[in-house]
Amino acid sequence: MSKKIKSLLQQAKLYRSQGLMGEAEKKYKLVEELIKESDQLPNKQKLLNGLSKKIDSLNKEVKAIESAPTTPEMSEHVNELIKKLFSFSSKEKNESETALEGAIALAKFGQFEGALEEFGKLLKVKSQKFSAAKNILRCHLEMGDIESATDQMEKWEKDNMFSSDQLEKITVFFDDIVDKKGLRKELAVSKEPEEKVASEDELENGEEFLDISAVAISFDSGPYKGEQIELDVSFQSGNVISLIISSKDEALIENMKVDARLDDVHFYSPVAIFRGAGIVSAMTQIKSGPKKGDYSLDIKIESL
Amino acid sequence: MAVFNLKKREIECKIVFYGPGRCGKTTNLEYIFRAYKKQVEGEMVSINTEGDRTLFFDFLPMELGKIKGCDVRVQLFTVPGQVHYSSTRKLVLRGVDGIVFVADSLDVRREKNMQSLKDLQQNLKDYGLNIFKIPLVLQYNKRDLANTGMPIMSLEKMEKDLNRQLKAASLPASAVTGEGIGKTLQESLKLTLQSLQKQFNWAQK
Ligand SMILES: Nc1nc2c(ncn2[C@@H]2O[C@H](COP(=O)(O)OP(=O)(O)OP(=O)(O)O)[C@@H](O)[C@H]2O)c(=O)[nH]1
Ligand SMILES: [Mg+2]
């Protein structure tokens, strides 16, 4: 008995020293039970007291771990490294594209101040300023700073930084995040979200299409009302992505029609998740091969 | 993501140490940092949080010298193993050329190993990569604990759990004593460079 307890305590100690807190706690709890059940053990209460001290201090450690900040601000040096290591534009791509990717990486690692600085520089580069602007808003909003974001937008408008087309897209982008983050109530004057109408040429302002790996479509009517369906992207060509719908998923097939507009789609890309809209541009049943009978669905991304 | 400079005959590749939380990824890199000082190019950078857990990544750049007429550099990374850092983990994995999957030999981590391997497969897939095709080495870490009477899994059991279908190169190791760590790295480099050779044909004939 005491041998077993000893071995369990040793295990708990090792797990704890390795940071395996859950495992350590389980062993302590097991020991606790064993002690409680036993009739032969001398000074039971003392043992239990000692044990509950151990468990307490373990829990303290767990709390410290859990409450540690997940995105602490890093040193300049680390930020430089992150930019360098996580911008993947190939060498043929131009400097500013690489810079944009680096800045996005910073934001992804929660280094918003550093990222804002970089995006700020990119506002001056014509080919990047549109993306930079959106990312600036994203950073402010990630930090919960709506005011800076709205100030920025007002300033851009006043300075005629963007075409009215672009400005509208930027506003839609902003509204979208505000809604998603539930920040709407903090906006002093809440604006009606504007109708998103993306025309062909809007999508051609030098933006590259991100690789989309999966989408999640939300429905506000039909059999999937209120639900979100996730589908993997099997193929992508520019702003058109292809998905496979299993022949078994009759309800979904019923619900999809060419030209149907999908107003709320999450596009999962390697860098981030984007919310936007799409239009079903083709839907065909696969006639042969392993996916025979399934449907191939093309969605044209309208706005990201 | 491998970077080639064929004119200068330089090649740079990225190897990521993946695995469940606390399995010993960072300890692997720390050992390599100490044991291969000569090949290390600069410093090891670790971005940690409370309790020495990796928050973003560890980064260790190495310069291996000439291999088949090419100057080979390799960047070693570790991912944060803890479940809730999944988006960072995926980000660090981006552009990977070779993977060392560090599995924890402790009995109590059995399921965590399997979950992490599955997570790896999914993340690779999202990047259009296939776990069966990517250069992959499985490392069964913490074998030193066998001598202390701590409950650990047999190698056979780990093979069965993790490598039955994959049939990847696998080896026992202890990142604390250093046993098997150099071998793991060498094996991974060999496979990674072979695979890059197949794809890009960089070696001098
Ligand atoms: N006995 C023994 N302990 C090990 C070994 N490798 C790592 N450890 C211990 O396991 C604990 C976790 O090691 P880390 O290297 O920080 O683990 P990690 O995989 O980087 O963990 P995360 O960053 O949280 O994902 C530490 O206490 C190490 O000392 C080993 O081979 N043997
Ligand atoms: Mg670590």
Side-chain angles (χ1 to χ4, degrees):
Chain A
M1 180 68 170
S2 65
K3 211 167 151 199
K4 175 144 191 222
I5 289 181
K6 209 167 154 198
S7 147
L8 284 171
L9 285 175
Q10 266 170 1
Q11 284 176 44
K13 192 171 163 199
L14 173 83
Y15 299 155
R16 186 173 172 181
S17 76
Q18 301 212 340
L20 300 167
M21 303 305 179
E23 283 80 357
E25 192 182 0
K26 264 193 208 145
K27 298 293 164 193
Y28 284 140
K29 288 270 151 77
L30 205 59
V31 173
E32 199 171 35
E33 265 169 48
L34 283 175
I35 296 178
K36 277 184 183 156
E37 281 164 14
S38 141
D39 312 316
Q40 316 135 342
L41 279 173
N43 50 34
K44 243 167 98 165
Q45 199 49 48
K46 205 171 146 205
L47 287 173
L48 284 174
N49 287 347
L51 199 59
S52 84
K53 265 198 204 121
K54 279 196 170 66
I55 295 177
D56 279 352
S57 88
L58 183 79
N59 283 335
K60 261 197 208 122
E61 216 172 312
V62 171
K63 280 235 175 67
I65 290 166
E66 280 170 355
S67 60
T70 49
T71 51
E73 283 293 323
M74 297 291 162
S75 70
E76 184 90 349
H77 170 68
V78 168
N79 278 352
E80 281 304 314
L81 187 70
I82 289 177
K83 271 194 299 185
K84 198 178 96 199
L85 292 177
F86 294 93
S87 50
F88 292 92
S89 298
S90 66
K91 295 285 181 284
E92 294 95 66
K93 285 198 185 170
N94 63 46
E95 218 171 288
S96 63
E97 271 168 65
T98 312
L100 182 74
E101 276 201 66
I104 290 176
L106 277 182
K108 285 290 293 175
F109 281 108
Q111 305 303 297
F112 300 117
E113 298 290 351
L116 277 171
E117 207 173 294
E118 298 297 316
F119 289 130
K121 288 182 209 156
L122 288 165
L123 274 180
K124 300 186 186 92
V125 182
K126 197 164 169 258
S127 61
Q128 306 299 336
K129 72 174 187 183
F130 182 62
S131 305
K134 286 196 290 189
N135 282 299
I136 285 174
L137 297 180
R138 188 188 286 281
C139 285
H140 284 308
L141 293 174
E142 284 295 334
M143 293 191 288
D145 186 359
I146 289 207
E147 213 181 307
S148 297
T150 44
D151 286 355
Q152 266 296 353
M153 288 202 299
E154 273 165 26
K155 187 164 182 299
W156 291 333
E157 196 169 353
K158 214 175 73 209
D159 296 351
N160 273 325
M161 276 278 289
F162 297 98
S163 70
S164 59
D165 248 16
Q166 285 179 324
L167 212 53
E168 192 180 317
K169 275 180 87 178
I170 289 172
T171 312
V172 168
F173 177 84
F174 169 82
D175 283 337
D176 215 28
I177 304 184
V178 169
D179 283 339
K180 195 161 72 184
K181 291 193 159 294
L183 296 169
R184 172 71 62 198
K185 56 186 180 309
E186 289 180 32
L187 270 181
V189 243
S190 98
K191 286 183 267 171
E192 283 294 303
E194 284 146 55
E195 179 71 16
K196 295 182 221 174
V197 225
S199 65
E200 196 82 306
D201 49 19
E202 256 184 297
L203 292 165
E204 280 175 25
N205 38 31
E207 264 184 294
E208 262 214 18
F209 257 88
L210 284 153
D211 293 332
I212 309 295
S213 56
V215 297
I217 306 169
S218 304
F219 295 93
D220 54 11
S221 62
Y224 280 110
K225 187 174 169 163
E227 281 185 58
Q228 211 186 36
I229 307 285
E230 230 184 282
L231 295 165
D232 282 347
V233 171
S234 55
F235 185 73
Q236 176 177 5
S237 152
N239 64 340
V240 177
I241 50 175
S242 305
L243 319 163
I244 304 282
I245 304 180
S246 156
S247 57
K248 292 190 203 91
D249 204 342
E250 282 161 0
L252 188 57
I253 294 167
E254 283 278 81
N255 215 25
M256 288 289 184
K257 277 193 269 322
V258 174
D259 287 339
R261 191 178 158 79
L262 308 167
D263 281 310
D264 185 7
V265 184
H266 286 70
F267 297 95
Y268 295 93
S269 84
V271 277
I273 301 167
F274 298 91
R275 251 179 108 168
I279 282 192
V280 177
S281 59
M283 186 166 161
T284 37
Q285 194 168 23
I286 300 168
K287 294 275 154 46
S288 61
K291 301 241 182 260
K292 189 173 166 189
D294 292 351
Y295 280 80
S296 161
L297 183 78
D298 286 354
I299 294 179
K300 188 162 148 223
I301 303 170
E302 278 228 309
S303 57
L304 278 186
Chain B
M1 184 165 324
V3 178
F4 295 88
N5 186 333
L6 289 180
K7 251 208 215 109
K8 286 206 219 150
R9 301 211 59 78
E10 278 173 4
I11 171 174
E12 183 177 84
C13 57
K14 171 169 177 177
I15 293 179
V16 174
F17 285 64
Y18 208 95
R22 320 312 293 144
C23 67
K25 301 174 291 292
T26 299
T27 314
N28 258 272
L29 251 64
E30 283 168 347
Y31 180 83
I32 294 169
F33 180 60
R34 286 196 308 272
Y36 296 85
K37 265 246 133 65
K38 262 209 215 131
Q39 281 94 329
V40 170
E41 199 191 356
E43 280 299 308
M44 172 164 165
V45 178
S46 292
I47 306 178
N48 291 344
T49 176
E50 196 66 31
D52 275 340
R53 291 163 152 75
T54 301
L55 177 62
F56 291 168
F57 53 80
D58 300 298
F59 170 66
L60 179 60
M62 295 180 82
E63 169 113 54
L64 303 179
K66 282 223 187 305
I67 299 178
K68 307 229 186 222
C70 250
D71 269 321
V72 178
R73 277 188 293 162
V74 54
Q75 301 182 326
L76 304 183
F77 282 86
T78 75
V79 299
Q82 292 195 83
V83 180
H84 50 275
Y85 295 140
S86 67
S87 61
T88 312
R89 195 157 46 243
K90 191 164 170 181
L91 193 64
V92 173
L93 194 62
R94 190 168 168 205
V96 66
D97 298 302
I99 290 166
V100 174
F101 183 86
V102 181
D104 196 322
S105 295
L106 280 169
D107 252 343
V108 285
R109 300 301 279 173
R110 180 172 180 213
E111 260 174 46
K112 293 285 186 288
N113 288 332
M114 298 195 244
Q115 280 162 7
S116 176
L117 194 61
K118 183 123 204 310
D119 174 64
L120 170 64
Q121 187 221 339
Q122 184 58 48
N123 281 335
L124 288 172
K125 194 172 146 215
D126 290 352
Y127 288 137
L129 297 169
N130 184 335
I131 196 169
F132 287 96
K133 294 198 182 134
I134 197 149
L136 171 69
V137 177
L138 299 185
Q139 178 191 78
Y140 303 136
N141 191 32
K142 304 194 187 172
R143 298 314 296 181
D144 60 294
L145 291 175
N147 311 322
T148 66
M150 288 296 146
I152 66 169
M153 292 176 270
S154 70
L155 293 174
E156 294 73 42
K157 183 166 172 183
M158 296 188 80
E159 274 286 297
K160 234 188 189 161
D161 276 354
L162 305 169
N163 204 15
R164 202 178 40 196
Q165 284 179 308
L166 280 177
K167 302 204 189 326
S170 66
L171 55 169
S174 164
V176 166
T177 67
E179 204 177 317
I181 304 302
K183 269 201 199 131
T184 306
L185 181 61
Q186 278 158 23
E187 184 68 26
S188 173
L189 277 168
K190 188 185 91 190
L191 295 176
T192 304
L193 291 173
Q194 273 170 2
S195 149
L196 291 174
Q197 166 66 12
K198 260 195 224 136
Q199 288 174 67
F200 301 102
N201 208 15
W202 53 273
Q204 236 160 20
K205 300 281 154 52

